[in-house]
């Protein structure tokens, strides 16, 4: 079986990262500024002297980097502890849980931690909180209270109180839990007698106070009593299995020891949840769930406490035999909000890898993998624990957070759907339909729009030579996998659309379908995929206090100025939170060189998702800034005497999980690139003058692309040369002298991102097909070369359009009708702005 296509993998990834999650097993948080519980315990189960070796584990090193990246600080334990101590618990939870999409959490509050918060307090952090009752903790609390009250209970009196307390709790909890594995092992004797338990009880109450129940006979008896009540009232019983604290005998934590209990007729209708993937007995747990109807599985703690390979192995082994309807997610978060963050972060990553691998192996179809992800992340827990108050609409796309400045759409029913696309001129356009009509009609059949919509220029007039007319209609068909709840508009959801002549019949003028087609061609011919990540520059403008009809930059401070960032930090953070809530991970924010200019870099990914993400980013920036009475614009050159705004894109080539753009570490890799990387980039360089007609779509675009402005004005490439339009990049973490990607600089925020990436991908494929070779890199400022060895790229839209007119390769890959349409629209731009030279500023509100 073949791996998933780029489009399919992107769909699976979006589904997994957007799906709401029910955290099926966790514990209380503690006051991080006063609790004696050491932060080092966030990374491992070790305690005492064994803790000094925690920093030498793979999971610690990985997790510390994850947390350092989350907080934007150095990834050292000392720095992170200092940073978290400078924040309130509310701020810590906000940071760790923003975008987590945890819709509910089940908390076992029987794990007693110093200065831990109450269950009610947690309801201010999570949208839905449910209690799990630890039966051994209940028994101990009853005995200790009796002793402190001076009561001298018989075993029968204890048993009466214990059984009554269990029965009274069934309306207040969603599950019982047992830690019998800690107190004697899982080789529980279902025939343990009352007299044996009574003997254990007498030993227990004669020990020091507070009592800790450890006699195996009493532990077994308490377990069986709890399981009987749970079965009678239809509650599950969570059971700690596998690894844990050092007081556990690991050999007796193997869940196979439970077979005697599972085969007892009293418990044939019980439901038990084996926690922690039963690690290292994951295969045994998988087997039990496949042959016993009562057995369900939960992989919290194994994720994220193991290495990446270990996490993948544990979850994969659970799915070897286990029914997909029986496997559930939890963070096993405790004490520190960072444990919740790491749990959900790595669960999504591991699920993507494991389910994608299952599809590649032929075990699952894509639709089955999508359903499995929904089940594992939330639906199985909702069904098993009967969390009936979490409706589908409430559970969809939930952020799991209280309101921190961005409207919490997840708590309101979605009432309207925004159908979003970008036209040939790079305008973002939308139609909005009521949710009911979307569900019953639009989702399947789409909605109509004139064919001429793709032949309109930035001046909003149809281009006469675009090949389209007011006659004819196409269907805007939603790609449901791209749906996201809009954080800044209550009750609204957006979804990217594809254009079809009729449902299921692609329209050749659709930019998004064109990119999808080339993605499939690239994989079919070469077994490769292109990944991309955008850096978007934009201005935030305010009214000129002396001329209310004029917009000026929000500030006048220089590049990376802290003062400039502070002036817009609340807006930028609101944008960042909104993007994260929609599954778009922000990598970096900073003030750019222009007055009031800023840049947002987002995480790279499959090129279809990258194009979708940057379109949504532009939509988000414009909307959030507008809410503040300001104006954001991506126009390439707004102010003649200030720097322009680009939308630089970083491109890499992948074969499965390997970046094959990167060269080997030996000296055989020229320029730090593989042969594939060199040929692909050579193709992009070869076709660069023509590509500019798509990536620099306005006459105004060429006011930005000038020498000595770091915008890529010369026909060359360079290594870490920011004056070159193509720059190979070696970010932190790559091997010395190896490059991981190249940056395409001659692109701006008015370009249609799907058309731009389609053109880059087409050019790169031509480079591979013809084995094109790169010229010598330019490692100086090209403007300093006076020998004519380096030429300027097109200095006007007219020149790049003429290059595109002569480019047969791009016509072949993109389709002749679409290229003719692009040329027609660009020519209309040239003609219009030749007659209206001073109207570019009016586009600031549109782009």
């Amino acid at each position: 079986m073949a791996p998933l296509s780029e489009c399919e993998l992107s769909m699976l990834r979006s589904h997994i990262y957007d799906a709401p999650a029910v955290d099926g097993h966790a514990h209380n948080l503690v006051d991080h500024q006063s609790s004696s519980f050491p932060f080092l315990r966030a990374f491992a189960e070790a305690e005492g002297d064994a803790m000094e070796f925690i920093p030498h584990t793979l999971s610690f090193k990985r997790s510390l980097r994850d947390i350092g990246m989350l907080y934007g600080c150095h990834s050292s334990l000392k720095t992170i502890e200092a940073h978290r101590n400078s924040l309130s618990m509310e701020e810590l939870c906000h940071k760790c849980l923003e975008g987590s999409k945890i819709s509910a959490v089940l908390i076992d509050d029987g794990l007693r931690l110093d200065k831990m918060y109450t269950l009610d307090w947690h309801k201010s952090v999570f949208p839905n909180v449910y209690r799990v009752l630890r039966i051994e903790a209940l028994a101990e609390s009853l005995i200790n209270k009796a002793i402190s009250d001076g009561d001298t209970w018989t075993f029968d009196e204890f048993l009466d109180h214990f059984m009554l307390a269990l029965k009274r709790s069934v309306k207040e909890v969603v599950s019982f839990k047992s830690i019998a594995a800690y107190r004697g092992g899982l080789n529980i004797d279902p025939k343990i007698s009352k007299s044996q338990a009574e003997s254990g009880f007498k030993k227990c109450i004669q020990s020091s106070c507070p009592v800790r129940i450890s006699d195996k006979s009493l532990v077994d008896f308490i377990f069986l009593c709890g399981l009987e009540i749970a079965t009678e009232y239809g509650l599950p019983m969570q059971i700690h299995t596998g690894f844990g604290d050092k007081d556990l005998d690991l050999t007796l934590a193997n869940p196979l020891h439970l077979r005697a209990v599972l085969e007892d007729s009293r418990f044939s209708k019980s439901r038990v949840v084996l926690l922690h993937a039963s690690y290292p007995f994951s295969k045994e747990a998988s087997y039990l769930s496949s042959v016993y109807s009562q057995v369900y599985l939960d992989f919290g703690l194994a994720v994220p406490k193991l290495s990446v390979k270990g996490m993948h192995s544990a979850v994969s082994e659970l799915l070897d035999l286990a029914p997909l309807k029986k496997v559930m997610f939890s963070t096993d978060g405790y004490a520190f909000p960072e444990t919740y963050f790491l749990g959900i972060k790595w669960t999504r990553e591991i699920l993507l890898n494991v389910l994608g691998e299952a599809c590649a192996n032929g075990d699952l179809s894509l639709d089955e993998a999508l359903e499995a992800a929904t089940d594992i992340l939330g639906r199985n827990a909702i069904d098993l624990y009967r969390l009936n108050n979490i409706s589908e609409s409430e559970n969809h796309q939930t952020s799991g957070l209280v309101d921190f400045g961005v409207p919490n759409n997840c708590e309101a029913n979605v009432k309207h759907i925004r159908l979003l696309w970008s036209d040939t001129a790079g305008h973002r356009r939308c139609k909005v339909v009521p949710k009911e009509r979307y569900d019953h009609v639009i989702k399947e059949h789409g909605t109509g729009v004139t064919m001429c919509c793709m032949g309109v220029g930035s001046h909003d007039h149809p281009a006469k030579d675009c090949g389209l007319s007011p006659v004819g209609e196409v269907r805007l068909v939603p790609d449901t996998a791209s749906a996201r709840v809009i954080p800044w508009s209550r009750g609204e959801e957006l979804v990217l659309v594809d254009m079809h002549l009729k449902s299921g019949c692609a329209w050749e003028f659709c930019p998004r379908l064109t990119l999808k087609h080339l993605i499939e061609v690239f994989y079919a011919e070469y077994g490769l995929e292109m990944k991309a990540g955008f850096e978007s520059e934009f201005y935030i403008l305010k009214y000129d206090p002396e001329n209310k009809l004029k917009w000026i930059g929000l500030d006048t401070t220089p590049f990376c100025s802290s003062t400039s960032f502070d002036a817009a930090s609340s807006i930028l953070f609101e944008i960042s939170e909104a993007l994260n809530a929609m599954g778009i991970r922000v990598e970096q924010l900073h003030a750019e060189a222009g007055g009031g200019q800023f840049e947002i870099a987002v995480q790279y990914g499959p090129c279809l998702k990258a194009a979708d993400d940057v379109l949504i980013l532009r939509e988000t920036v414009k909307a959030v800034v507008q809410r503040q009475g300001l104006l954001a614009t991506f126009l390439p050159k707004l102010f003649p005497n200030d720097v322009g705004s680009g939308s630089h894109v970083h491109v890499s080539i992948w074969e499965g999980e390997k970046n094959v753009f990167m060269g080997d570490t030996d000296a055989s890799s020229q320029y730090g690139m593989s042969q594939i990387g060199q040929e692909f980039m050579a193709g992009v360089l070869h076709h660069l003058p023509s590509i500019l007609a798509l990536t620099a779509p306005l006459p105004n675009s060429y006011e930005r692309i000038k020498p000595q402005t770091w915008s890529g004005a010369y026909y060359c490439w360079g290594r870490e040369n920011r004056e070159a339009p193509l720059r190979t990049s070696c970010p932190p973490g790559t091997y010395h002298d190896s490059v991981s990607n190249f940056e395409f600089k001659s692109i701006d925020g008015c370009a249609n991102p799907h058309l731009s990436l389609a053109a880059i991908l087409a050019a790169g494929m031509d480079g591979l097909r013809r084995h094109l070779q790169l010229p010598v890199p330019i490692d100086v400022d090209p403007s300093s070369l006076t020998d004519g060895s380096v030429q300027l790229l097109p200095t006007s839209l007219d020149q790049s359009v003429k290059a595109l007119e002569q480019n047969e390769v791009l016509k072949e890959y993109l389709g002749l009708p679409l290229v003719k349409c692009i040329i027609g629209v660009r020519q209309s731009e040239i003609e219009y702005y030749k007659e209206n030279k001073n109207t570019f500023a009016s586009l600031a509100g549109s782009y």
Side-chain angles (χ1 to χ4, degrees), residues 42-164:
F43 304 97
E45 292 294 289
E47 56 183 308
D49 293 342
M51 286 175 58
E52 68 177 284
F53 296 99
I54 292 177
H56 305 289
T57 62
L58 297 181
S59 63
F60 172 86
K61 295 178 183 298
R62 181 194 69 241
S63 297
L64 208 63
R65 288 195 300 273
D66 288 340
I67 296 172
M69 184 176 295
L70 173 72
Y71 290 149
C73 65
H74 182 58
S75 296
S76 70
L77 185 61
K78 183 177 180 180
T79 302
I80 288 172
E81 286 192 289
H83 178 82
R84 68 192 308 273
N85 285 332
S86 70
L87 302 176
S88 68
M89 176 53 75
E90 287 73 17
E91 290 171 324
L92 274 181
C93 290
H94 175 206
K95 193 68 176 175
C96 290
L97 296 173
E98 65 175 335
S100 68
K101 299 183 176 67
I102 295 179
S103 62
V105 59
L106 279 60
I107 294 181
D108 162 24
D109 58 352
L111 177 63
R112 308 310 297 174
L113 300 170
D114 180 45
K115 302 296 192 301
M116 70 185 226
Y117 289 102
T118 65
L119 214 60
D120 283 340
W121 180 92
H122 288 78
K123 293 175 182 177
S124 70
V125 176
F126 299 99
N128 294 285
V129 175
Y130 303 92
R131 186 181 179 214
V132 173
L133 176 64
R134 187 185 294 212
I135 60 173
E136 292 84 3
L138 173 64
E140 289 170 347
S141 68
L142 291 172
I143 295 172
N144 286 319
K145 185 177 186 307
I147 293 174
S148 66
D149 291 345
D151 294 335
T152 54
W153 276 354
T154 65
F155 181 65
D156 283 333
E157 288 173 324
F158 158 73
L159 200 55
D160 287 342
H161 281 82
F162 178 61
M163 297 296 278
L164 180 61

Side-chain angles (χ1 to χ4, degrees), residues 233-339:
Y233 287 91
L235 288 181
M237 171 76 87
Q238 295 184 349
I239 302 176
H240 183 108
T241 62
F243 66 114
D245 297 341
K246 65 181 182 181
D247 61 349
L248 174 146
D249 184 342
L250 189 59
T251 60
L252 296 178
N254 188 327
L256 290 178
H257 288 301
L258 288 170
R259 292 184 65 177
V261 171
L262 296 172
E263 292 175 3
D264 190 297
S265 60
R266 290 173 294 169
F267 308 120
S268 62
K269 299 299 182 182
S270 66
R271 293 175 297 158
V272 300
V273 182
L274 305 181
L275 299 173
H276 314 318
S278 297
Y279 185 83
F281 308 110
S282 302
K283 289 183 178 180
E284 289 86 343
S286 180
Y287 162 73
L288 287 176
S289 74
S290 72
V291 296
Y292 290 101
S293 63
Q294 308 104 302
V295 177
Y296 294 75
L297 309 176
D298 177 296
F299 54 75
L301 191 61
V303 178
K305 290 296 192 294
L306 300 176
S307 69
V308 173
K309 181 180 178 182
M311 291 188 290
H312 184 282
S313 176
V315 176
S316 183
E317 285 183 353
L318 289 186
L319 298 186
D320 280 346
L321 277 173
L324 294 169
K325 295 289 185 182
K326 287 187 166 189
V327 180
M328 292 173 291
F329 149 76
S330 75
T331 62
D332 199 56
Y334 58 91
F336 317 104
E338 291 86 353
T339 59

Side-chain angles (χ1 to χ4, degrees), residues 503-613:
S503 186
C505 180
W507 189 43
E508 57 192 343
F509 291 87
C510 176
R512 198 166 184 269
L513 288 177
T514 299
L515 178 57
K516 283 184 178 181
H517 170 68
L518 290 178
I519 289 168
E520 292 171 356
V521 171
F522 192 36
Y523 184 80
E525 291 190 10
Y526 300 100
L528 301 173
E529 67 170 324
M530 185 174 90
K531 295 187 178 183
F534 283 88
E535 300 172 347
S536 298
E537 297 171 341
F538 56 93
Y539 277 86
I540 297 180
L541 308 174
K542 63 182 179 181
Y543 278 121
D544 186 339
E546 298 181 3
N547 181 359
K548 293 297 183 181
L549 299 178
K550 183 181 178 183
W551 292 93
I552 60 174
L554 188 63
D555 73 294
T556 57
T557 49
F559 172 73
C560 274
S561 162
S562 297
T563 303
S564 181
F565 190 87
D566 287 340
S569 62
S570 62
I571 299 173
L572 295 173
F573 290 147
E574 187 172 352
I575 292 168
S576 177
E577 289 175 11
L579 292 173
N580 281 320
M582 292 186 288
I584 301 172
R585 178 173 172 179
V586 173
E587 298 277 88
Q588 184 170 284
L589 305 154
H590 68 265
E592 261 297 344
Q597 188 187 36
F598 300 90
E599 179 182 297
I600 298 178
V602 298
Q603 186 180 39
Y604 76 93
C607 58
L608 178 65
K609 184 178 188 300
D612 289 350
D613 284 355

Side-chain angles (χ1 to χ4, degrees), residues 662-719:
M662 186 184 297
D664 296 327
T665 55
D666 58 33
S668 65
S669 295
Q670 192 177 24
Y671 308 131
M673 286 180 275
S674 66
Q675 189 63 33
I676 288 173
Q678 292 182 56
E679 291 180 1
F680 187 94
M681 186 171 160
V684 177
L685 179 63
H686 178 77
H687 293 285
L688 188 52
S690 303
I691 295 174
L692 253 62
L694 289 88
T695 61
L698 298 177
N700 181 258
S701 300
Y702 299 82
E703 297 300 314
R704 180 185 79 91
I705 304 175
K706 300 288 187 181
Q708 296 185 317
T709 62
W710 293 14
S711 57
Y714 286 89
Y715 194 8
C716 66
W717 76 280
R719 295 176 291 191

